[in-house]
Amino acid sequence: MIPLPRRGRNTEPAEGRRTGRDERSRVRAFGLRTRLLAAFLLVAAVSAGTTSALTYREARNALLKTAQDTAVSTFREQVQQTAFGLPVQEEGMEEVLRDLARKGKPRPWVVFAEYGSVRASSGENPVSTVITPGLRRAALANPYGSFERVVKDGVPYLTIAMPTVFRTGPYDTLPSGLVLYAVMRMTDEQINVDALLTAARDGALPGLAVALVPGLIAARSVLRPVRELRRAARSMGSGRLDTRIAVRGNDELADLADTFNESAAQLEDSVHELREAEARARRFASDVSHELRTPLAGMLAVTEVLDEDADHLDSDTARAVRLVSAETGKLAVLVEDLMEISRFDARAAELNADEVDVAETIRKTLQNRHWTEGDRVHAELPTGIRARLDPRRFDVVIANLVGNALRHGGAPVTVRLRTGERPTGTPVLITEVADRGPGIHPDSVPYIFDRFYKADAARTRSAGSGLGLAITQENVRLHGGTIRAGNLPEGGAVFTVEIPLHAEETTA
């Protein structure tokens, strides 16, 4: 039979699902919506910042260049129109310099003159602390003058150097040695530049806020199909394989929705075929088992009669009679196990739980099968442990585990009973069945509860039906518990069953 997931059944442990939800909630702050908005705002911020920076730079350069060109051209014209007598004398020079300073544009200058050791100015100090040595060298090298922007003590200045020359020809000049300097404060221009920077910054921030609105709209349009896909996938995971997504538009998300619908349709067809095949196989096993019960009952009655008269038969006939009787008994056990496993597959198994003394229940199981005789089974059963169990199904669990240990392990078999807690704090009943045999091969541990699995590939036949451990696992699950297999450090196999002390009825 082909095992299929039950419709709407989630096999993931509850604590695992809670952990997964907690992790997803922790990273939800960095989900797709947040990343889309962050990317959109980043692009908007880069665009707004770049635009503001370029606009600020161009406006600043234009503002400074206008003031600078006006000042330089005006100073050059004034110097060319002013006549200076050589050699230059300090007397009368200051008045000429004041006259030049009054004609300053776009705002008044402070004019300085340097001629050899002569220093004069239109201001209070004859020497300026703003004029740099580099500007003095440039003035001597360029007869048409030079300028430089300087910041002194946080105040911006424009300094202009203009040498006076004698024309010796149409295109030839001869320096006179007199250099005039104009120093103009650029505080007004700096105020205007700062205003431009503030306007650019203040304009970018509202732009980002406005960009958030189309970002939200774009994120919503992108995330709507993703949310629909998530809901559809979750719906399919819960067993509703007929779930489909509405296809809108012709973009990549529409292609994704269309692909999902095609895959869902193929999956629905495949699962439907597998379920039909499983139902047919399950029905076949159930029908065969049911039909075999009546003739097997008659065969068992006949073999019992033959067993009683076997001692009066010759040796060959007696051996054949006993062989037929043994094989008929195995066949009867196999039929009963097949019917039981079919009930689990059909989810028809029910849990009739009752509060019982667990130690007494286990003790009755061992006594009814005469396993307490001799030293074959050793029981460590503390009294006073009560739990809600189905006595018949718990009897099957203990009987299968102990019988399996006696057949395939080594005596003495130890049955231990105790209580404990799961990591979530749920109190559980713990039952261990250990033997002194060779143990379970590590490669066989993951498959030990599979139906008809043989740990020894060379063993073609076994004393049991091959379904005992599978039935045991189903009965434990029906109690809401777990079972695991392993090996003891000192040798031998150990099976551990954990069942909640207050188990509630669940669906097989």
Side-chain angles (χ1 to χ4, degrees), residues 162-204:
M162 194 66 60
T164 60
V165 296
F166 296 108
R167 289 190 177 275
T168 59
Y171 303 103
D172 297 328
T173 59
L174 181 65
S176 66
L178 174 63
V179 181
L180 300 180
Y181 298 92
V183 177
M184 182 182 72
R185 282 176 174 261
M186 302 189 72
T187 52
D188 291 346
E189 285 76 11
Q190 184 63 42
I191 292 173
N192 293 333
V193 168
D194 293 341
L196 286 175
L197 180 61
T198 302
R201 181 191 60 203
D202 295 344

Side-chain angles (χ1 to χ4, degrees), residues 126 140 170 184 244 447 489:
L140 297 176
M184 182 182 72
R244 299 294 183 268
Y447 314 103

Side-chain angles (χ1 to χ4, degrees), residues 189-497:
E189 285 76 11
Q190 184 63 42
I191 292 173
N192 293 333
V193 168
D194 293 341
L196 286 175
L197 180 61
T198 302
R201 181 191 60 203
D202 295 344
L205 294 178
L208 290 179
V210 173
L212 185 63
V213 176
L216 289 172
I217 296 175
R220 181 180 180 184
S221 63
V222 172
L223 291 178
R224 184 188 299 112
V226 176
R227 286 195 296 268
E228 292 179 357
L229 181 62
R230 181 188 63 186
R231 287 193 293 267
R234 184 176 297 172
S235 177
M236 291 189 63
S238 63
R240 293 185 288 274
L241 300 180
D242 57 345
T243 303
R244 299 294 183 268
I245 302 177
V247 180
R248 302 182 183 89
N250 298 313
D251 55 7
E252 290 80 359
L253 292 174
D255 293 340
L256 177 62
D258 190 58
T259 302
F260 176 87
N261 291 338
E262 292 178 359
S263 301
Q266 295 175 0
L267 178 62
E268 184 180 17
D269 293 340
S270 299
V271 171
H272 180 69
E273 293 176 1
L274 289 173
R275 282 175 175 163
E276 287 185 344
E278 181 194 25
R280 288 194 299 269
R282 187 167 57 242
R283 187 165 52 252
F284 173 78
S286 178
D287 292 344
V288 169
S289 301
H290 182 75
E291 293 299 327
L292 286 175
R293 293 186 73 182
T294 301
L296 276 175
M299 292 173 63
L300 286 173
V302 172
T303 54
E304 288 178 1
V305 174
L306 293 175
D307 276 341
E308 294 175 358
D309 296 337
D311 294 337
H312 305 291
L313 303 174
D314 60 86
S315 59
D316 292 339
T317 304
R319 189 162 49 253
V321 167
R322 293 190 178 95
L323 178 61
V324 170
S325 177
E327 294 301 321
T328 303
K330 292 179 182 179
L331 183 58
V333 172
L334 176 60
V335 168
E336 291 298 329
D337 287 347
L338 281 174
M339 293 192 67
E340 181 70 8
I341 206 73
S342 297
R343 281 191 287 270
F344 282 113
D345 289 341
R347 292 184 291 173
E350 295 181 353
L351 188 71
N352 299 314
D354 192 10
E355 186 172 338
V356 298
D357 186 318
V358 184
E360 184 63 25
T361 302
I362 296 177
R363 195 174 292 110
K364 287 181 180 179
T365 298
L366 302 178
Q367 291 174 352
N368 291 340
R369 291 161 178 80
H370 308 289
W371 285 335
T372 56
E373 299 173 0
D375 296 330
R376 300 178 64 195
V377 178
H378 175 66
E380 299 177 5
L381 307 175
T383 60
I385 299 178
R386 303 186 66 83
R388 286 190 59 80
L389 302 172
D390 185 326
R392 184 183 71 83
R393 295 191 180 279
F394 190 69
D395 173 80
V396 171
V397 170
I398 300 301
N400 284 347
L401 291 179
V402 175
N404 185 74
L406 290 173
R407 285 192 299 270
H408 304 298
V413 174
T414 303
V415 182
R416 295 186 181 90
L417 178 66
R418 57 188 174 89
T419 59
E421 284 189 357
R422 287 178 176 171
T424 57
T426 304
V428 291
L429 176 72
I430 302 175
T431 308
E432 293 180 352
V433 177
D435 60 54
R436 295 295 182 269
I440 307 172
H441 193 279
D443 295 338
S444 301
V445 172
Y447 314 103
I448 199 69
F449 296 104
D450 290 355
R451 300 171 185 181
F452 301 107
Y453 177 76
K454 297 178 181 179
D456 185 1
R459 179 168 53 88
T460 58
R461 288 181 57 81
S462 62
S465 65
L467 295 172
L469 290 180
I471 292 174
T472 299
Q473 185 182 49
E474 294 294 343
N475 278 307
V476 172
R477 286 177 177 173
L478 198 62
H479 282 86
T482 59
I483 182 172
R484 60 181 182 273
N487 293 312
L488 296 170
E490 62 272 15
V494 58
F495 289 82
T496 305
V497 176

